[in-house]
Amino acid sequence: METAEKLAPLGFGFMRLPLTNPDDPTSIDIDKCCELVDIFMEGGFTYFDSARGYHGCKSEWALKKALGVERYPRESFTIATKLPAWLAKNAEEARAMFDISLQECGVDYFDYYLLHNLGESLTPGFEEYGLWEFCAQKKAEGKIKKFGFSIHDNAEELEKVLDAHPEVDFVQLQINYVDWESDIIQSRKCYEVCQERGLPVVIMEPVKGGTLVKLPEAVADVLRETEPGASIASWALRFAGSLPNVIAVLSGMNTPEMVAENVAIMRDGVPLTEGEHAVIERARETLAALPGVPCTD
């Protein structure tokens, strides 16, 4: 498999932030959040990913607090956020989310803006509300620099969306080494659809919500035997970061240690070799063969 010359940049997913009350997703601990952002920025990375619905619609507000002009100049960071049409009752309410997001994030334009979570029964709502045309207008006005969408569906559905909307600049996909050959998620096939069209991708779920950090011992041993000093997370992040034409590899991080580790992996690491890809394939086969492991899809 062809790999990039260096790993893709790490992106900070603002969806699993530290909380003051673990039972309240809106109780974001801003002081700790600022600490995480500082470690991330000091490590040389700048891409932040949010969405209108994350943390009960408080994620964008947290971005403003952590990245506001009193802390960092606007040109020093990159913001991506998303419009979830399925949270709106009508087109007017859906379109209003754009200006709300600008206000909540404290910016006057978005570097990357996405229609959020297309696929299955969710896709038609974006058409019904005229959101493709709406976002094209915002891009023409300079309020969106790059326009795309995120999708949780198979390659056939992805192709249908791209056939209808070839104007997009990028796509956000779920990609990790377990889902790479999945018949349901089809990470590889979806990635290849984008590459055939020359579209860069943003990668979400590279460690599959933490699953690929907490592997069964038999699977972890396959990785440890090859490189005893490497963290289990590094295999997953390097797999995603080794793919060519990737804008950012997103990670939802909520402790200083996690941010520092992921920054070091993606800043100092190198793309996987052919031999390391073979090791990951063995780990994937070992996982699939274990009895009692629930369906990873």
Side-chain angles (χ1 to χ4, degrees):
M1 178 185 295
E2 179 189 0
T3 61
E5 294 182 1
K6 61 180 182 179
L7 294 178
L10 180 66
F12 196 145
F14 254 51
M15 65 178 297
R16 297 186 180 97
L17 299 173
L19 304 173
T20 57
N21 177 0
D23 297 323
D24 179 4
T26 68
S27 66
I28 298 170
D29 188 324
I30 289 298
D31 289 339
K32 289 184 179 179
C33 189
C34 289
E35 180 184 2
L36 305 186
V37 165
D38 291 345
I39 295 170
F40 184 78
M41 293 283 281
E42 288 166 6
F45 297 112
T46 63
Y47 191 102
F48 294 87
D49 171 87
S50 185
R52 191 72 209 106
Y54 290 173
H55 281 281
C57 293
K58 292 295 290 270
S59 172
E60 293 172 328
W61 168 84
L63 265 179
K64 180 179 180 180
K65 292 293 185 181
L67 285 169
V69 291
E70 69 274 9
R71 301 198 78 240
Y72 290 99
R74 176 64 182 94
E75 65 274 11
S76 69
F77 57 85
T78 301
I79 285 187
T81 196
K82 315 180 195 74
L83 194 165
W86 31 270
L87 284 182
K89 299 183 181 68
N90 51 52
E92 182 179 6
E93 186 174 306
R95 295 180 181 207
M97 289 183 189
F98 183 85
D99 286 331
I100 294 172
S101 290
L102 281 176
Q103 182 177 359
E104 288 288 287
C105 290
V107 296
D108 55 10
Y109 70 91
F110 291 115
D111 302 280
Y112 293 86
Y113 195 75
L114 301 87
L115 298 182
H116 185 28
N117 195 14
L118 278 74
E120 298 182 350
S121 61
L122 299 177
T123 300
F126 295 91
E127 299 282 359
E128 179 185 346
Y129 293 163
L131 296 177
W132 299 96
E133 296 80 6
F134 173 76
C135 288
Q137 175 189 340
K138 294 300 179 184
K139 184 179 177 184
E141 294 172 1
K143 293 186 176 182
I144 296 173
K145 301 301 181 184
K146 299 289 185 180
F147 169 57
F149 62 91
S150 64
I151 185 168
H152 290 275
D153 211 326
N154 59 39
E156 182 180 358
E157 290 302 311
L158 172 61
E159 286 195 280
K160 289 179 182 177
V161 176
L162 290 175
D163 285 343
H165 297 286
E167 71 273 16
V168 298
D169 300 307
F170 70 102
V171 180
Q172 185 161 309
L173 298 173
Q174 178 172 324
I175 294 179
N176 55 68
Y177 64 76
V178 168
D179 295 329
W180 188 242
E181 298 294 351
S182 164
D183 291 334
I184 296 176
I185 298 175
Q186 299 185 358
S187 286
R188 176 180 59 78
K189 290 181 179 179
C190 288
Y191 172 77
E192 289 173 351
V193 165
C194 291
Q195 296 317 290
E196 288 165 3
R197 297 172 185 245
L199 287 173
V201 302
V202 174
I203 292 178
M204 56 183 165
E205 300 294 342
V207 295
K208 203 168 172 68
T211 304
L212 302 187
V213 178
K214 302 172 183 177
L215 294 169
E217 283 301 305
V219 183
D221 284 345
V222 173
L223 304 178
R224 293 193 189 108
E225 288 167 5
T226 301
E227 198 169 345
S231 70
I232 298 300
S234 70
W235 286 90
L237 289 173
R238 288 176 61 218
F239 175 86
S242 295
L243 294 170
N245 208 18
V246 172
I247 295 169
V249 177
L250 303 179
S251 178
M253 301 174 282
N254 54 28
T255 68
E257 294 76 17
M258 189 184 300
V259 178
E261 178 183 356
N262 289 357
V263 162
I265 290 167
M266 299 301 281
R267 181 190 59 209
D268 304 329
V270 295
L272 294 173
T273 64
E274 185 175 339
E276 287 172 325
H277 276 293
V279 171
I280 281 182
E281 181 59 28
R282 288 208 321 270
R284 183 164 49 223
E285 291 172 352
T286 302
L287 181 63
L290 289 176
V293 174
C295 175
T296 58
D297 296 320

